[in-house]
């Protein structure tokens, strides 16, 4: 597998608290993505990045923000977590024309 | 943007049978079509992919076919085994953003 590490692997938090998930890659891939996975919905794109400081919204971006200050790190922030954001979050990366690789995922529970 | 439809959502087969999962896409500019397998509690992992200049690709018991005119592609698994039980996702990608189908839960009964 490509060197993609997500942290934390599991997190339980309370409604209204800020949460940051981290994706770290050692592949020097240009493109990075955050997806959420929910039963019956598959993998839905939250935000993506096509280079350092270059990010854009996906189909389910409301309530989320991202930052990419270095090639290897892509952070996903929930400014004020809600129960609807309970999900499994996957980071994925690829380079130009290359295959997409996923991190191990973060299970987030918002109580 | 791209829209990917995947069917069926659940597929139950007997060990040794074949399984077929179908996907359609909307953007004619899409040129890369990967398939991912996700076992329970694990990350999605690429099992096979096809590019738009190829009509079919095989890898042992797995094959993917692509019909660009009709904008659909399919995953074929022959001689299914219990370890093939998983959720399978198709995806379509044009310039760089991949769009996924909703997944098919394949259950192979021994």
């Amino acid at each position: 597998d490509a060197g993609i590490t997500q942290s934390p692997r599991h997190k339980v938090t309370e409604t209204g608290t800020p949460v940051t998930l981290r994706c770290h890659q050692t592949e020097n891939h240009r493109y990075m993505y955050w997806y959420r996975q929910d039963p019956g919905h598959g993998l839905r794109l939250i935000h993506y990045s096509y280079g350092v400081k270059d990010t854009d919204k996906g189909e389910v971006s409301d309530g989320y923000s991202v930052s990419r200050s270095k090639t290897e790190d892509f952070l996903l922030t929930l400014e004020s977590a809600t129960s609807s954001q309970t999900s499994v979050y996957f980071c994925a990366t690829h380079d130009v024309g290359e295959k997409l690789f996923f991190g191990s995922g973060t299970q987030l529970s918002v109580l | 943007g791209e829209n990917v439809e995947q069917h069926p959502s659940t597929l139950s087969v007997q060990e040794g049978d074949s399984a077929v999962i179908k996907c359609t896409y909307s953007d004619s500019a899409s040129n890369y079509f990967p398939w991912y397998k996700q076992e329970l509690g694990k990350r999605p992992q690429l099992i096979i992919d096809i590019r738009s200049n190829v009509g079919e690709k095989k890898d042992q018991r797995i094959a993917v076919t692509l019909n660009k005119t009709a904008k659909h592609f399919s995953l074929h698994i022959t001689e299914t085994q219990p370890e093939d039980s998983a959720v399978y996702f198709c995806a379509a990608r044009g310039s760089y953003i991949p769009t996924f189908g909703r997944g098919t839960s394949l259950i192979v009964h021994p």
Side-chain angles (χ1 to χ4, degrees), chain B residues 8 11 15 23 32 34-35 38-39 41 48 51 53 56 60 62-63 66-68 70-71 74 78-79 89-90 94 110:
Chain B
L11 180 58
E15 183 177 359
C23 289
Y32 175 65
W35 286 88
Q38 186 180 28
E39 297 176 348
I48 195 167
R51 298 189 185 272
N53 58 348
E56 183 176 2
Q60 299 182 14
I62 294 173
L66 171 65
N67 183 326
K68 286 177 56 181
K71 294 185 193 166
S74 300
T78 58
E79 300 173 20
F89 292 98
C90 64

Side-chain angles (χ1 to χ4, degrees), chain A residues 3-101:
Chain A
I4 305 169
T5 305
Q6 288 185 234
S7 59
R9 291 294 311 278
H10 304 272
K11 185 167 182 69
V12 180
T13 191
E14 294 185 350
T15 298
T17 60
V19 177
T20 296
L21 308 183
R22 181 186 186 224
C23 178
H24 177 79
Q25 56 130 336
T26 58
E27 304 297 315
N28 201 35
H29 286 170
R30 176 179 175 183
Y31 301 101
M32 298 186 75
Y33 306 85
W34 278 107
Y35 290 92
R36 61 177 288 173
Q37 184 174 28
D38 305 288
H41 292 278
L43 293 157
R44 293 183 292 174
L45 183 64
I46 306 171
H47 279 278
Y48 61 95
S49 171
Y50 45 97
V52 174
K53 299 192 189 303
D54 291 323
T55 65
D56 208 342
K57 298 178 180 180
E59 63 176 304
V60 291
S61 60
D62 287 348
Y64 302 94
S65 63
V66 290
S67 66
R68 190 167 178 202
S69 58
K70 298 184 291 185
T71 297
E72 56 266 36
D73 289 325
F74 193 31
L75 303 181
L76 177 70
T77 297
L78 291 66
E79 302 291 347
S80 178
T82 67
S83 58
S84 65
Q85 293 175 313
T86 292
S87 186
V88 179
Y89 292 85
F90 283 101
C91 172
T93 78
H94 71 94
D95 214 346
V96 177
E98 295 301 317
K99 300 173 183 178
L100 184 73
F101 294 97

